[in-house]
Amino acid sequence: MNTHSLKGETNVGKKKGAKYEQIIEAAVAVIARFGYHQAQVAKIAKEAGVADGTIYLYFTSKEDLLISLFEEKMGQFIETIRTRIQTKQTFEEKLLLLIQTHFEQLQANPQLAIVTQLELRQSNKELRKKINQILKGYLLLIDELIKEGQSSASVKQQLDSRLVRQMIFGTLDEVVTNWVMKDCKYDLVVQAKPIHQMLVSGISERLS
Amino acid sequence: MNTHSLKGETNVGKKKGAKYEQIIEAAVAVIARFGYHQAQVAKIAKEAGVADGTIYLYFTSKEDLLISLFEEKMGQFIETIRTRIQTKQTFEEKLLLLIQTHFEQLQANPQLAIVTQLELRQSNKELRKKINQILKGYLLLIDELIKEGQSSASVKQQLDSRLVRQMIFGTLDEVVTNWVMKDCKYDLVVQAKPIHQMLVSGISERLS
Amino acid sequence: MNTHSLKGETNVGKKKGAKYEQIIEAAVAVIARFGYHQAQVAKIAKEAGVADGTIYLYFTSKEDLLISLFEEKMGQFIETIRTRIQTKQTFEEKLLLLIQTHFEQLQANPQLAIVTQLELRQSNKELRKKINQILKGYLLLIDELIKEGQSSASVKQQLDSRLVRQMIFGTLDEVVTNWVMKDCKYDLVVQAKPIHQMLVSGISERLS
Amino acid sequence: MNTHSLKGETNVGKKKGAKYEQIIEAAVAVIARFGYHQAQVAKIAKEAGVADGTIYLYFTSKEDLLISLFEEKMGQFIETIRTRIQTKQTFEEKLLLLIQTHFEQLQANPQLAIVTQLELRQSNKELRKKINQILKGYLLLIDELIKEGQSSASVKQQLDSRLVRQMIFGTLDEVVTNWVMKDCKYDLVVQAKPIHQMLVSGISERLS
DNA sequence: TATGAATGAGACTTCATTCAT
DNA sequence: GATGAATGAAGTCTCATTCAT
């Protein structure tokens, strides 16, 4: 579970430095502003204030830059969630905090939300595969949480944990995507509680 | 309620005929096999057994072809669901049948599943916008179902119906995408019931 | 000097008939309205009220149609001038009438003027060569007139008749082109006299 | 009066350099050799000894290249004439020198003559419009000359200066076009004097 | 005669990546 | 380390012409 450390030394062997971050930030900004298909290397270089060729001193290819971007941003994203939910005891508290932290982080950085929810999904299969690889870290975190919940009898044990995870992640993803497509103009975090409630108790009105 | 008929006369004014369908089927096959970015017009034409130029007798542009593909396929997809769930009375039965029909249709045509779940999502903003427009038909169908459920006190009335829809659609979409990414090699339809169960009653084990 | 008769039987061996003329008129109309590069065979066929293929029953190719158009129209144009100037006796009267008739005919049919002055000149070398071949009939007519003028000592005998012809034709052509480019919105015929005057006596103010 | 300098810094803001000129010269050569419609960007690039893409570092489009070509060449052409005729005092001397310089420049560069007299006239409306814009510089120069001539009572004051200009330009243009169509194989410059004579005193033999 | 659906060659332009400086 | 000019492959669409009906 140490594939992503808190300090971001994950890309061992990769040149780092001020420019490395600078280029990634430029990529996020350019993609958010112009869209995936209009985010040429030249534009990113200009935004970063470096020459086109300089990008290739820090990344082996444009694909590598995009993967690194996702890795970097998603790594922090996941670690923040992981750390925070450790402070909670029960499954339900942890799930709620996961949702809240998920939403908070994206709401705090709408540019990043645009990039990860909309733009990077337009990339080709190869890149998407690698992005999914990184996403897997998050999915595993959710899986753990679910299994923990089942162990402690907080989550119905007969449920397929994979399906549970798909429901949780699918729901969060869809909610965020809708928010981004509405130009991030309403409050996302406030929806954490009702969503948590739905996931936990379902949507059906039943006599109990 | 008649925007999409069962017989597919929806694209009134568009040239139809054997070749029209033939080209759309070829496009589905080529995109599924080679991916969105490797689905050149020439390849689609060859697959359809027509000349490149012939495509432009039936579609105004490549984009128009892709939109028509989605429109055609998604139109049928939605209508099939709409029609089938009318046979059920209660909200829960309808929701279950919606999920089952959703899964059945994609499982019956894995090529189409690949195209709609993975490949067409890589398209440019313009095309994506139009695809979303068509998808909206499905989302509205779900919305109706939810509101009906709330009217009949089957669905908790305090829930935001938009959030409920996002949970349902997000979950189905995520489940199908996972299935497609695992090469459609397990049974999708069989998961309809547990998913329905989770959506309806939530994941939490509670004393009642 | 009988390459173009008054009755248009010049294209011996060519199918004629109502449709032949109909297609040529359609071509003139379409080229005048849409320009040379937007005058597709399909558009001309539609304007003529026939099928695309029908055009090829009357013309061997699009090029043949355009050449026939020019031949037909220019043949009439030249013959009208030839006939009318025969009614005059002196060189100067004949030249004036040539200019007037040249202008009158184009002013009476601005569509044709657009086609011959602007649009057909955008055609490729091959077609242009053939058009020039037809134009040669007009140039020869002017040549004859000049030589006649020199024989009767109306035109300076030391002048190279080819240059004289180039001045006359070049001037008329430039004047008409300017008129067409100003959307044919002023009176062209009224300029015949001053132009005639300039050609005859030059532009210089000299004491005599 | 300073729209075109002698040194060619007119296209301020446009990337210049050896390659810029090199590509323009290549375009002239290719168009002269193969004709307008067979002058593909690839061919021009090859002739210039650069990659296809390099052309787009110096010109925004093929159209831009062709316009720049005309601008560059015509700009020099006009300036040379303007400068040279300033050395003469009388209208007649100036007109003669204009004609001579016009002919000399084209005779010195038959390739350019082919391009401007024949090939570029086949271009589409948009390009032609821009070419005419540039030509207007030359027409204005002639206009000035004529008005000057009228002020100094060298040119008949009752003449419409626009018509005079049309006669002068139309004549020169027709003469050069004939020369180009005869493969530039006779002496053009030698015809300057007789043409000048015709323009000045007309073609008519009159007793005085 | 007449139709019109089908054909298929051909070109402009973009942009990730390189490499001489 | 940093630059940025140069590279060159690759794809959508048009339209004159044909030919089975």
Side-chain angles (χ1 to χ4, degrees):
Chain A
M1 233 2 74
N2 281 322
T3 50
H4 295 286
S5 81
L6 277 167
K7 297 172 187 171
E9 317 93 343
T10 47
N11 296 308
V12 179
K14 188 161 267 180
K15 287 186 211 166
K16 290 296 184 64
K19 286 208 176 144
Y20 178 89
E21 297 297 341
Q22 197 173 322
I23 292 167
I24 285 189
E25 294 309 325
V28 172
V30 168
I31 295 173
R33 186 147 19 110
F34 297 98
Y36 178 78
H37 291 286
Q38 282 305 307
Q40 297 88 349
V41 170
K43 220 177 251 170
I44 295 171
K46 194 174 178 188
E47 173 83 19
V50 300
D52 297 15
T54 303
I55 289 188
Y56 291 86
L57 298 174
Y58 293 90
F59 304 93
T60 64
S61 65
K62 183 180 182 182
E63 187 178 63
D64 181 42
L65 162 56
L66 297 179
I67 293 168
S68 301
L69 180 166
F70 200 82
E71 215 163 48
E72 193 90 356
K73 296 299 182 184
M74 205 58 195
Q76 292 168 9
F77 181 90
I78 298 171
E79 281 319 306
T80 300
I81 293 177
R82 184 189 303 281
T83 309
R84 292 198 60 192
I85 66 175
Q86 281 171 353
T87 64
K88 296 295 179 183
Q89 301 305 320
T90 70
F91 166 78
E92 294 197 6
E93 282 173 327
K94 285 184 175 185
L95 179 60
L96 177 58
L97 194 50
L98 180 144
I99 297 170
Q100 284 173 330
T101 313
H102 184 133
F103 286 178
E104 272 169 19
Q105 292 189 84
L106 292 173
Q107 185 160 287
N109 194 350
Q111 269 197 345
L112 185 61
I114 293 168
V115 172
T116 58
Q117 295 292 317
L118 296 186
E119 300 302 339
L120 281 188
R121 303 191 179 193
Q122 299 176 42
S123 57
N124 60 54
K125 229 172 204 164
E126 213 48 42
L127 180 50
R128 292 259 303 294
K129 210 172 278 179
K130 294 193 176 154
I131 285 178
N132 282 329
Q133 206 59 32
I134 299 168
L135 254 188
K136 196 166 285 180
Y138 189 35
L139 301 182
L140 286 174
L141 173 60
I142 301 179
D143 278 340
E144 285 172 47
L145 178 62
I146 293 165
K147 279 172 187 156
E148 226 181 275
Q150 288 182 314
S151 299
S152 63
S154 302
V155 174
K156 294 170 185 160
Q157 291 172 353
Q158 76 273 23
L159 294 177
D160 178 345
S161 68
R162 205 168 35 85
L163 284 185
V164 176
R165 182 247 292 160
Q166 287 170 11
M167 178 166 82
I168 294 173
F169 181 77
T171 299
L172 299 190
D173 197 57
E174 177 71 9
V175 167
V176 176
T177 297
N178 274 270
W179 171 74
V180 171
M181 297 211 307
K182 294 283 190 203
D183 296 324
C184 313
K185 65 187 173 210
Y186 53 83
D187 193 327
L188 185 61
V189 179
V190 81
Q191 312 201 332
K193 270 200 175 144
I195 289 166
H196 173 259
Q197 184 60 29
M198 286 198 302
L199 290 169
V200 165
S201 352
I203 60 179
S204 172
E205 184 75 73
R206 297 180 185 238
L207 304 176
S208 53
Chain B
M1 206 38 60
N2 282 322
T3 50
H4 296 286
S5 83
L6 279 168
K7 295 173 189 170
E9 315 94 344
T10 47
N11 297 310
V12 178
K14 189 164 264 180
K15 269 195 223 169
K16 289 295 184 68
K19 290 244 166 92
Y20 180 89
E21 298 296 342
Q22 194 175 325
I23 291 167
I24 285 189
E25 295 309 326
V28 173
V30 168
I31 295 174
R33 186 147 18 109
F34 298 97
Y36 178 78
H37 291 287
Q38 281 305 307
Q40 298 89 346
V41 170
K43 225 176 247 171
I44 295 171
K46 196 173 178 188
E47 173 82 20
V50 300
D52 296 16
T54 303
I55 291 191
Y56 292 87
L57 296 177
Y58 294 89
F59 305 93
T60 62
S61 64
K62 184 180 181 182
E63 187 179 60
D64 181 43
L65 163 55
L66 298 179
I67 292 169
S68 301
L69 180 167
F70 199 83
E71 216 163 45
E72 193 90 355
K73 296 301 181 182
M74 205 58 194
Q76 291 169 9
F77 180 91
I78 298 172
E79 280 320 304
T80 300
I81 293 177
R82 185 190 302 280
T83 308
R84 293 198 59 193
I85 65 175
Q86 281 171 352
T87 64
K88 296 296 178 183
Q89 302 304 320
T90 70
F91 167 78
E92 294 197 5
E93 283 174 326
K94 284 183 176 188
L95 179 60
L96 177 59
L97 194 50
L98 179 145
I99 298 171
Q100 285 173 330
T101 312
H102 184 131
F103 286 178
E104 271 169 20
Q105 292 190 85
L106 292 173
Q107 184 160 289
N109 194 350
Q111 269 195 345
L112 184 61
I114 294 169
V115 172
T116 58
Q117 295 292 318
L118 298 185
E119 300 302 338
L120 281 188
R121 303 191 180 193
Q122 300 175 41
S123 55
N124 61 53
K125 230 169 207 162
E126 211 49 41
L127 181 49
R128 293 258 307 294
K129 208 175 278 180
K130 293 189 177 156
I131 285 178
N132 281 331
Q133 206 56 34
I134 298 168
L135 254 188
K136 198 167 282 179
Y138 189 34
L139 301 182
L140 286 174
L141 173 61
I142 301 179
D143 278 339
E144 288 171 43
L145 179 61
I146 293 164
K147 279 172 187 156
E148 225 180 276
Q150 288 182 315
S151 298
S152 61
S154 302
V155 173
K156 294 171 184 157
Q157 289 172 353
Q158 76 274 21
L159 294 177
D160 178 344
S161 68
R162 204 167 36 84
L163 284 185
V164 176
R165 182 246 291 158
Q166 287 170 10
M167 179 166 81
I168 294 174
F169 181 77
T171 299
L172 299 189
D173 198 57
E174 177 72 10
V175 167
V176 175
T177 297
N178 273 269
W179 172 74
V180 171
M181 296 213 307
K182 294 284 190 203
D183 296 322
C184 315
K185 65 187 174 210
Y186 53 82
D187 192 328
L188 186 60
V189 179
V190 81
Q191 313 201 331
K193 269 200 177 145
I195 289 166
H196 173 258
Q197 185 60 28
M198 285 198 302
L199 291 168
V200 165
S201 345
I203 60 178
S204 172
E205 185 74 73
R206 300 184 184 231
L207 304 176
S208 54
Chain C
M1 229 9 66
N2 282 319
T3 49
H4 296 287
S5 81
L6 278 166
K7 297 172 189 171
E9 317 93 345
T10 47
N11 298 307
V12 179
K14 188 160 268 176
K15 288 185 210 167
K16 290 296 184 65
K19 285 208 176 146
Y20 178 89
E21 297 296 339
Q22 196 174 323
I23 291 167
I24 285 189
E25 295 308 325
V28 173
V30 168
I31 295 174
R33 186 148 18 109
F34 298 98
Y36 178 79
H37 292 287
Q38 282 306 307
Q40 296 89 348
V41 170
K43 220 177 252 171
I44 295 171
K46 195 174 180 191
E47 173 82 20
V50 301
D52 297 14
T54 302
I55 289 190
Y56 290 85
L57 299 175
Y58 293 90
F59 304 92
T60 63
S61 65
K62 184 182 182 182
E63 187 178 63
D64 181 42
L65 162 56
L66 297 179
I67 292 169
S68 302
L69 179 166
F70 200 81
E71 216 161 46
E72 194 88 358
K73 295 301 181 182
M74 205 58 193
Q76 293 168 7
F77 181 89
I78 298 171
E79 283 317 310
T80 301
I81 292 177
R82 185 190 302 282
T83 308
R84 294 197 59 193
I85 66 175
Q86 281 172 352
T87 65
K88 296 296 178 182
Q89 302 305 320
T90 70
F91 167 77
E92 294 197 5
E93 283 174 327
K94 285 184 174 184
L95 178 59
L96 176 59
L97 194 52
L98 180 146
I99 297 171
Q100 284 172 330
T101 312
H102 184 132
F103 287 178
E104 272 169 20
Q105 292 190 82
L106 292 172
Q107 185 160 291
N109 194 351
Q111 267 196 350
L112 184 61
I114 293 169
V115 171
T116 58
Q117 295 292 317
L118 297 186
E119 300 302 339
L120 281 188
R121 304 192 179 192
Q122 299 176 41
S123 57
N124 60 53
K125 232 173 202 164
E126 214 49 43
L127 181 50
R128 293 258 303 294
K129 211 172 276 180
K130 295 193 176 152
I131 285 178
N132 281 329
Q133 207 59 35
I134 299 167
L135 253 188
K136 197 167 283 179
Y138 189 35
L139 301 182
L140 286 174
L141 173 60
I142 301 179
D143 278 340
E144 285 171 48
L145 178 61
I146 293 164
K147 280 171 186 156
E148 226 179 276
Q150 288 183 314
S151 299
S152 61
S154 301
V155 173
K156 292 171 187 159
Q157 290 172 356
Q158 75 273 21
L159 294 177
D160 178 346
S161 68
R162 206 169 32 85
L163 285 185
V164 176
R165 182 248 291 159
Q166 287 170 11
M167 178 167 83
I168 294 173
F169 181 77
T171 299
L172 299 189
D173 197 58
E174 177 72 10
V175 167
V176 176
T177 297
N178 273 270
W179 171 74
V180 171
M181 297 210 308
K182 295 284 188 200
D183 296 323
C184 314
K185 65 185 170 211
Y186 52 83
D187 193 325
L188 186 59
V189 178
V190 80
Q191 312 201 333
K193 271 201 178 146
I195 289 166
H196 174 259
Q197 184 61 29
M198 284 199 300
L199 290 168
V200 165
S201 346
I203 60 178
S204 172
E205 183 75 71
R206 296 177 186 237
L207 304 178
S208 51
Chain D
M1 199 48 62
N2 283 321
T3 50
H4 296 286
S5 84
L6 281 167
K7 296 174 191 169
E9 316 94 345
T10 47
N11 296 307
V12 179
K14 188 163 266 180
K15 268 194 223 170
K16 287 298 184 65
K19 290 241 167 95
Y20 179 88
E21 298 296 341
Q22 195 175 326
I23 291 167
I24 285 190
E25 296 308 325
V28 172
V30 168
I31 295 174
R33 187 149 16 112
F34 298 98
Y36 179 79
H37 291 287
Q38 281 306 307
Q40 297 90 347
V41 170
K43 224 177 249 171
I44 295 171
K46 196 174 177 189
E47 173 81 20
V50 301
D52 295 17
T54 303
I55 291 191
Y56 292 86
L57 296 177
Y58 294 89
F59 305 93
T60 61
S61 64
K62 184 182 182 182
E63 187 180 60
D64 182 42
L65 163 55
L66 297 179
I67 292 169
S68 301
L69 180 166
F70 200 82
E71 215 162 46
E72 194 89 357
K73 295 301 181 182
M74 205 59 193
Q76 293 169 7
F77 180 91
I78 298 172
E79 280 320 305
T80 300
I81 293 176
R82 186 190 300 281
T83 308
R84 292 198 60 193
I85 66 176
Q86 282 172 352
T87 64
K88 297 295 179 184
Q89 301 304 320
T90 71
F91 166 76
E92 294 197 6
E93 283 173 328
K94 285 183 174 184
L95 178 59
L96 176 59
L97 194 52
L98 180 145
I99 298 171
Q100 284 173 332
T101 312
H102 184 132
F103 287 178
E104 270 168 25
Q105 292 190 85
L106 292 173
Q107 184 160 290
N109 195 348
Q111 272 195 344
L112 184 61
I114 294 170
V115 171
T116 58
Q117 294 291 319
L118 297 185
E119 301 302 337
L120 281 188
R121 303 190 179 191
Q122 301 175 39
S123 57
N124 61 53
K125 231 168 205 162
E126 211 50 43
L127 181 49
R128 292 258 306 295
K129 208 174 277 178
K130 294 190 177 155
I131 285 178
N132 281 331
Q133 206 57 35
I134 299 168
L135 255 188
K136 198 167 281 179
Y138 189 34
L139 302 181
L140 287 174
L141 173 59
I142 301 178
D143 278 340
E144 288 170 43
L145 179 60
I146 294 163
K147 280 171 186 157
E148 226 179 277
Q150 289 182 315
S151 299
S152 61
S154 303
V155 173
K156 293 172 187 159
Q157 289 172 356
Q158 76 273 21
L159 295 177
D160 179 344
S161 68
R162 203 167 37 84
L163 285 185
V164 176
R165 182 247 291 159
Q166 287 170 11
M167 179 168 80
I168 294 172
F169 182 77
T171 299
L172 299 189
D173 199 58
E174 177 72 10
V175 168
V176 175
T177 297
N178 273 270
W179 171 74
V180 170
M181 297 211 308
K182 294 284 189 202
D183 296 324
C184 314
K185 65 186 172 208
Y186 53 81
D187 193 328
L188 186 60
V189 178
V190 80
Q191 313 200 332
K193 269 199 178 145
I195 290 166
H196 173 260
Q197 185 61 27
M198 286 197 302
L199 292 168
V200 166
S201 349
I203 60 179
S204 172
E205 184 75 70
R206 296 182 187 233
L207 303 177
S208 52

